[in-house]
Structures are given as structure tokens and as C-alpha cells.
Amino acid sequence: MKRRPIYVVLILFIVLGSWLLLNHRENNSASEKQVQEVLPTSIVDTNTTMANVTVNNRETPVQYLDPAYKVTVKHDILYASKKNETDAEEPLKLDLYQPIGDDTNQRPVFIFIHGGGYTGGDKSDAADFSEGLAKRGYAVLTIDYRLKKDPFFNFTRTLNDANEDINDVIKWINQHAETYGLNKERIVIGGDSAGGHLAMNFVNLSLAKDPSLVKSVFSIIDIYGGELTRSADSKLPPVLIIHGTIDKMVPYQHSVDLAAQLKEKGIYHNLLTMEGVGHDYKNEKYIDEIMETTAHFLWNVMNSSDLASLPENSGITVASGSAFDIKLPEAYRSASKEPLNIDLPEGWLLNGEEEGSLRIQVPESLVRGNDSLFVSRGADPTVASSFTMNINVIDPLAVYYETFYEESAKEIKTYMDVTNQSTSNFSGSVEADYETGRSTRGTYALTVENLEPGKSVRLEIPELARGQRSL
């Protein structure tokens, strides 16, 4: 009889243990089920992917964004014949760039107007840029227009004649749309220098005089075109402005002021700044980024009926190995909390989601160049509920070399300025390989501590560093 309490306690322990074991299994099962319900179907990193964001890797080319076609060019198509400043009849011609193998019957049209200060230049100046857009599916017209020996003697006439010529190009598009597979309802007007000036002012003046002339123009690409001849019309289409900070022909401030005018009127626009570049959009440093940013900007404004749902910029620059934030438009952070989808290049990570933004991590080993990402909303998103951005990936460190003669040592030496282009402090070793004054291979290495983002450090190589130099 004295052992009975021991048996009772033992039975209680067994029952309690069984209940705890079953309860633990049920909790685990419920937790696993909950994880399966909230995690996206396509995951890049299970530790960083957000519950309401699905991450995918896009593989198929996108029409009007990726260069998927070869190009054919029809040269010297006569679009009009007008009297010039000498009262002689002047034939006005255009070149037509078209994608090969594109089965689209109505391609959006890009009219490119060359620069040259209204005194020179011709339609062949933009051949590379035009071919780049045609590879993506656009029909591109590069046009000649009436030039002047002294355009500023009567600048009003200069502009009126050029504007009349652009209007004739639009008439030609309307008349030959079916023949060449042109979408006469989707036209972009753009150009560089005088061409950019013409593009902006033709649309702006037409909106005041006869809006029907430009009703089909859905965007303007202004490459250092300068100032407007009248205040910006509130009905201007979206504008991409491109300008270099050290332009000595057309001050960069003109484009900054133009962007401010557009912002004041509520006109969607982007400003692509070429740091340390003059009057040259074809420069090696920026030409690829200009091409890609233009394609992404046009894709966004062409496919969206709600410009308020577009990003602040269609292109940004990021250092390899850095993280950056995408500020979501208001439509993407609405109270409805629609699920988001983001298409990232392979190896990129979604590192976080805060109110109104997504944080993306770029791999350190990424090849430098331009990549695309897409953001869309809804369980079954469409093109109209999407936007894209061009991410220009650069080296985390930039280097500039300068040779100098040190009088005291009677030696030629080299300054090496290293700039941190990333968003984090840099600590580590840098090594420069170069050719010496004796035509041998030289190497210089030094440790750098806590170089802040955007800051530079000057290092002194104790000899001539020339030839192919690498950091």
C-alpha cells in the first residue's frame, strides 16, 4: 500500500510527457504551415526575402528594353522640299532605322534631331544612338532640317523654319505609317544640343499654338538642349534631360533650371547628370548608361497610364558590392497592401523592406555594366502595373593618375588619387600595376584605412606609371 503513491506519480509523469510531446509536434507543424503560406514561391535568399514580396530572376528579353534585333537602315528618304534662306528649294531627307525580325506592325517612332548650333551637323550624327534604339524595337527617324549661316541674326525665323520641318516629319509619319510599320500615335521627339533645344521648344510651342500637332508625342529626350523660349506648358509629356556638369557650350545650370520648371508644373521628368563631362553625350564613360536609361525611361512612360506610379528615376548608379534602396511610388505602398514582385539579376538579393522602399544588395563580384530590375504589384501583374530601372554598376574604387616632376629629387613621379564610390567606408590594400619609364612592369601597394564614401586619398607612386594601368 505504501508504494501506490509512487505508481500514481509515475503515471502522471508519463501522461504529462506524452501531452508535451504531442503539443510540441503540433506547434512545429503549425509553424511550418505558416512559413509555407507567407514565403514567396520564388526565393533568392530565405533569410532576407520579405513576406509580401516575390523575388524572381528574369531571363527572357523585354520588347523595347533589351537589344534583341539586328537593324536595317533606309537612307535619304525625301520627306519635304522647302525654300531655304537663299530662297533656293532645299530637299529635306531622313534616315529610317528599323529592327529586323520584329513582327510588330506598329512600332513606336523616335524622331532624332541632330545638333550643330543651327549651322551644321546632319542626320548621320546620331547613327549609333539610333541603331541602339532600333535594336530594341523602335523605328528611328534621324532628320535633316534647314540650317542657317547666321542663325541668331533672325533666331525667330531659324526656329520657325526648323519647327515647320519637324511638323513635316510628323506629317510624313502619318502618311507612311502603314508602309513602314510605324505607330503614328506613339512618337518620341529628341535630340542633342540644338536638336534637344528644338525638341523641347517644338512641343512646348505647339501646345500653345496647336496642340493637335503633338497629341501623339508621348515623351521628349532633351540632351543638353538648354532653355525654353517660353515657360513650360503644364501639358508637356514626360521629359528625360541629359547634361554634363562641365559643359562649356550650354551651361549645366540650364538643365537644372529646366528640371525645376518641370517639377513646378507637375511634369514627370528625370535628370541624368554626366559628372565631369562636357558637351559630349557620346563619351565612353556615359554612352552605355545614356542608352540604357533612355530605353528604361521610355519603357516606363510608354506603358504607364498613371505617371504617379513611376519611380523618381529610371536609372541609378551603384558600386559593386553595395546596397541601395528603391523608393516605391505611392501606388506601390497603398493601404491595400497588394503583393509585390521584383525581378532581379541573378545573384542579387532583396535585403529588406521598409515602409515605402526596398533594399537591394549587389554582389561584390558583379561584372561592371548595366542591369535591369522590374517591380510590379498584384497577384497577377500586368505591364501597366510595373516599372523598370536601369542599374549602372561601377567599381567601388575609382582611380586617377597624374604624372609630375619633383624638383628636389630630380625624379618623375605619379600621383594616384583613389576615390571611394561605394556607400561604405573602405579599409584595405590597394595595388596598382603599370608600365615604368624603363618599360618594365611596376607594382605599387599601400594600405588605406577608413576611406569614407565619396572621399579621395592621394597616394604617391615614386616613379613614372604609364601604359595600361590597373587598380
Side-chain angles (χ1 to χ4, degrees):
M1 296 295 293
K2 292 181 181 180
R3 296 182 180 178
R4 184 172 299 172
I6 297 175
Y7 293 135
V8 172
V9 171
L10 182 60
I11 292 171
L12 287 174
F13 270 117
I14 294 172
V15 172
L16 179 62
S18 300
W19 180 84
L20 288 172
L21 180 61
L22 288 172
N23 188 61
H24 177 70
R25 288 177 177 175
E26 288 176 359
N27 287 341
N28 280 348
S29 178
S31 298
E32 289 172 2
K33 182 179 180 182
Q34 186 178 11
V35 169
Q36 291 171 357
E37 287 175 350
V38 300
L39 283 180
T41 55
S42 177
I43 300 172
V44 174
D45 186 324
T46 56
N47 294 320
T48 58
T49 302
M50 300 300 103
N52 64 330
V53 183
T54 300
V55 180
N56 300 298
N57 295 123
R58 181 178 61 88
E59 296 179 355
T60 56
V62 176
Q63 183 77 349
Y64 309 124
L65 195 62
D66 297 318
Y69 306 103
K70 293 184 178 180
V71 177
T72 182
V73 186
K74 296 183 182 297
H75 294 281
D76 297 326
I77 300 174
L78 183 71
Y79 73 84
S81 184
K82 294 292 180 68
K83 286 186 177 181
N84 58 26
E85 60 183 345
T86 66
D87 284 333
E89 202 72 19
E90 180 178 341
L92 299 174
K93 300 178 181 180
L94 60 83
D95 293 341
L96 172 59
Y97 295 74
Q98 295 174 291
I100 298 174
D102 174 26
D103 56 3
T104 303
N105 294 324
Q106 292 187 320
R107 303 182 187 95
V109 184
F110 192 114
I111 301 173
F112 194 100
I113 310 168
H114 69 79
Y118 296 101
T119 65
D122 63 50
K123 56 185 170 56
S124 65
D125 292 349
D128 292 341
F129 185 85
S130 301
E131 184 172 341
L133 282 174
K135 285 180 178 179
R136 290 158 170 79
Y138 288 87
V140 184
L141 309 181
T142 59
I143 68 169
D144 283 334
Y145 54 96
R146 282 173 286 178
L147 304 174
K148 304 288 187 288
K149 290 183 178 179
D150 185 1
F152 299 101
F153 175 74
N154 186 348
F155 194 52
T156 299
R157 179 183 175 180
T158 298
L159 288 180
N160 287 342
D161 284 356
N163 287 337
E164 188 177 287
D165 297 343
I166 299 170
N167 188 39
D168 285 336
V169 173
I170 294 178
K171 289 179 180 177
W172 183 90
I173 293 171
N174 290 329
Q175 294 167 359
H176 298 85
E178 187 173 345
T179 302
Y180 293 107
L182 311 176
N183 189 341
K184 59 185 179 181
E185 302 300 327
R186 282 189 169 184
I187 297 176
V188 186
I189 297 182
D192 69 296
S193 197
H197 184 260
L198 273 175
M200 280 297 307
N201 283 286
F202 171 75
V203 179
N204 197 47
L205 291 171
S206 296
L207 287 171
K209 294 180 178 180
D210 187 358
S212 65
L213 296 177
V214 291
K215 65 179 181 179
S216 58
V217 177
F218 71 87
S219 183
I220 302 170
I221 307 299
D222 171 22
I223 306 175
Y224 39 72
E227 301 173 312
L228 292 171
T229 58
R230 63 180 293 271
S231 61
D233 195 289
S234 60
K235 294 183 180 178
L236 276 169
V239 181
L240 172 61
I241 308 168
I242 301 168
H243 210 139
T245 56
I246 59 172
D247 191 334
K248 295 181 179 179
M249 297 186 67
V250 180
Y252 172 68
Q253 187 62 41
H254 286 186
S255 286
V256 174
D257 294 341
L258 174 60
Q261 283 191 58
L262 299 179
K263 182 178 181 180
E264 183 180 352
K265 294 296 179 71
I267 299 162
Y268 181 74
H269 66 282
N270 289 179
L271 172 58
L272 172 56
T273 296
M274 298 183 289
E275 294 287 350
V277 174
H279 203 71
D280 176 24
Y281 79 95
K282 300 177 184 179
N283 72 89
E284 183 179 355
K285 182 179 179 182
Y286 277 97
I287 185 59
D288 290 340
E289 184 180 358
I290 288 172
M291 183 76 261
E292 294 297 337
T293 300
T294 299
H296 285 71
F297 180 85
L298 292 178
W299 193 94
N300 283 334
V301 300
M302 182 168 55
N303 291 309
S304 178
S305 58
D306 177 17
L307 297 179
S309 66
L310 295 181
E312 289 184 340
N313 287 291
S314 294
I316 60 174
T317 297
V318 178
S320 178
S322 297
F324 65 95
D325 293 324
I326 301 175
K327 184 179 179 181
L328 296 173
E330 188 63 36
Y332 288 75
R333 30 193 178 107
S334 61
S336 62
K337 294 294 183 182
E338 289 183 295
L340 294 179
N341 310 280
I342 182 166
D343 288 3
L344 295 174
E346 186 175 354
W348 296 35
L349 300 176
L350 174 62
N351 257 5
E353 177 193 11
E354 296 183 4
E355 187 64 30
S357 66
L358 301 175
R359 168 148 288 206
I360 310 299
Q361 177 66 49
V362 178
E364 290 185 2
S365 58
L366 192 67
V367 175
R368 285 31 166 184
N370 295 277
D371 291 279
S372 300
L373 62 80
F374 282 83
V375 178
S376 59
R377 54 191 165 91
D380 188 17
T382 62
V383 167
S385 61
S386 307
F387 69 81
T388 183
M389 294 179 66
N390 176 60
I391 312 300
N392 178 41
V393 180
I394 61 175
D395 286 313
L397 298 179
V399 63
Y400 171 75
Y401 298 94
E402 180 182 350
T403 300
F404 69 99
Y405 180 73
E406 189 177 85
E407 182 67 32
S408 60
K410 306 295 183 184
E411 292 179 344
I412 296 178
K413 298 184 178 180
T414 306
Y415 285 135
M416 183 173 71
D417 294 331
V418 178
T419 303
N420 183 2
Q421 300 187 119
S422 73
T423 56
S424 304
N425 286 8
F426 173 80
S427 293
S429 61
V430 293
E431 181 178 296
D433 295 328
Y434 52 87
E435 180 186 339
T436 70
R438 302 175 300 279
S439 299
T440 59
R441 180 179 178 277
T443 299
Y444 175 76
L446 193 71
T447 299
V448 175
E449 293 291 343
N450 290 321
L451 182 59
E452 297 178 3
K455 300 293 185 180
S456 300
V457 60
R458 169 159 285 189
L459 309 175
E460 184 179 302
I461 302 176
E463 62 182 333
L464 173 65
R466 65 180 185 179
Q468 183 65 41
R469 297 172 294 202
S470 60
L471 182 67

